[in-house]
Amino acid sequence: MVFLHITQEEAPKNRGNRRMQRWQFRSTNTMIIRIWSSWLVHTDPEAFQFSPKGVTKLFLDIPDKTFMEFLPTFDVVVLSSGHWFAKQSVYVLNNSILGGQLWWPQEAGDMKINSLEAYAISVETAVTAISNHPNFTGLVILRSYSPDHYEGGAWNTGGSCTGKTMPVNEMVRNGFTDIMHEKQITGFQQAVKKSENSHSKLRLMDITEMFGYRPDGHPGPYRSPDPNKIIERGPNGEPPPQDCLHWCMPGPIDTWNEIVLEIIRREFEGA
C-alpha cells in the first residue's frame, strides 16, 4: 500500500512468487508483501456434507492460513475484502452448512446465513485471529468496503460509469455497498471487543463514503490493452465494456496510500 512512496527513492527487488508477492527495499530494510485471500477465511473446494466438490466452501470461523502462518514476521497488516462474497460459495459455521451464495439446494430448506451475514462473520474471524495471535504485536488496518459506481444496471446488465473523468458533487447511493459496509463495521467492532487484551493495535481505515464521490478512479473500458477497444457508447446508448469496480487510475488509490502511511506514522511515531 505504501509502494508508490518508497519507489520514489528506490526501485525494489521482487522476491515473491505466485502465492506471495514480495518487494524488498534494501535501503530501509523494508519488505512489502501482497498475499491474495479472497474471503479472509479458510476455503476448500472438496465435497463437504451435502455440498459437492467444485463449489467453494467458506469455513467462516477459521481464518485463512495463507496469511496466518506468516503473521509473526509482519509489523503492519492491511486487510481488504468483500466483493468476492458475490461469487458462488457455501457457508460453513461450527462444522455445519448454514447458507450459500448462488448455491443452495431446495431440499435444504431456509438458509440461516446469507452473503451479508457471512461477510460480517469473516471479518470478525480474521481480525480477531490476527489481533489475538500470541506472536503478533503489530498494527492491523482494516480498509473498508470499496464502492463501485455502476449506474443503470450491474456490471453484467448494462451498468456503466462511462464519461466520469472528475469527482462528482452528488453521490449515487448504492444500497448493496451501504449494507456491506455496515456488516463489515459490525464484524470489526465485534473483533475489537474480543481483542481487548491483545498486544496488537486495530485501526479502521474507512474510505467507503468519501470515495463514493470518485467514479473517475475506475479504469472503465481502459482496463483492456486492446488498441481497438470500444471506449464510447454505442448508437443506442449501450456502454462499452466496463470496470467500475477496480481502481487503477490516478487519484483515489494514491490517497489510500497517503492514509495508510499516516496511520502507520501516528502509531509508530506517537504523533
Side-chain angles (χ1 to χ4, degrees), residues 14-223:
N14 189 343
R15 302 188 180 279
N17 51 44
R18 187 178 182 88
R19 179 188 180 194
M20 184 173 68
Q21 296 172 309
R22 300 184 299 164
W23 292 273
Q24 184 177 14
F25 299 83
R26 291 183 178 276
S27 64
T28 57
N29 192 27
T30 302
M31 182 78 76
I32 305 295
I33 299 173
R34 178 181 181 269
I35 299 177
W36 182 266
S37 179
S38 303
W39 287 281
L40 300 182
V41 293
H42 176 61
T43 64
D44 194 336
E46 296 300 318
F48 181 81
Q49 295 179 2
F50 58 88
S51 180
K53 181 178 181 178
V55 182
T56 302
K57 288 81 184 171
L58 309 187
F59 291 79
L60 298 175
D61 48 0
I62 303 175
D64 188 348
K65 65 179 181 180
T66 305
F67 58 80
M68 289 298 294
E69 65 178 288
F70 298 104
L71 194 60
T73 65
F74 300 154
D75 296 305
V76 179
V77 175
V78 181
L79 300 174
S80 63
S81 70
H83 291 281
W84 273 67
F85 279 83
K87 293 182 175 290
Q88 186 186 58
S89 53
V90 177
Y91 305 137
V92 182
L93 186 64
N94 296 322
N95 214 38
S96 296
I97 296 177
L98 300 180
Q101 169 69 4
L102 301 179
W103 180 90
W104 189 254
Q106 186 174 3
E107 60 271 20
D110 295 334
M111 290 194 300
K112 295 180 176 61
I113 294 178
N114 60 26
S115 62
L116 300 171
E117 293 157 342
Y119 180 43
I121 296 171
S122 75
V123 171
E124 179 182 346
T125 294
V127 176
T128 300
I130 294 172
S131 63
N132 287 330
H133 192 290
N135 297 320
F136 177 73
T137 59
L139 171 65
V140 183
I141 302 173
L142 177 67
R143 196 211 71 192
S144 68
Y145 190 78
S146 168
D148 62 52
H149 293 85
Y150 291 105
E151 297 180 25
W155 68 272
N156 58 349
T157 59
S160 171
C161 59
T162 297
K164 300 294 177 60
T165 59
M166 296 287 290
V168 296
N169 294 321
E170 185 174 349
M171 179 175 60
V172 177
R173 303 296 312 191
N174 183 313
F176 183 75
T177 294
D178 289 346
I179 195 167
M180 286 292 279
H181 177 254
E182 176 186 331
K183 292 296 183 181
Q184 184 185 36
I185 299 303
T186 297
F188 180 76
Q189 291 173 340
Q190 289 297 112
V192 170
K193 292 179 181 178
K194 294 181 176 181
S195 307
E196 291 180 348
N197 296 321
S198 72
H199 297 290
S200 58
K201 300 177 181 179
L202 301 181
R203 298 293 180 264
L204 177 67
M205 175 179 156
D206 199 338
I207 56 91
T208 307
E209 177 80 14
M210 68 179 84
F211 287 98
Y213 294 91
R214 295 302 305 271
D216 57 307
H218 297 298
Y222 298 98
R223 185 182 186 188

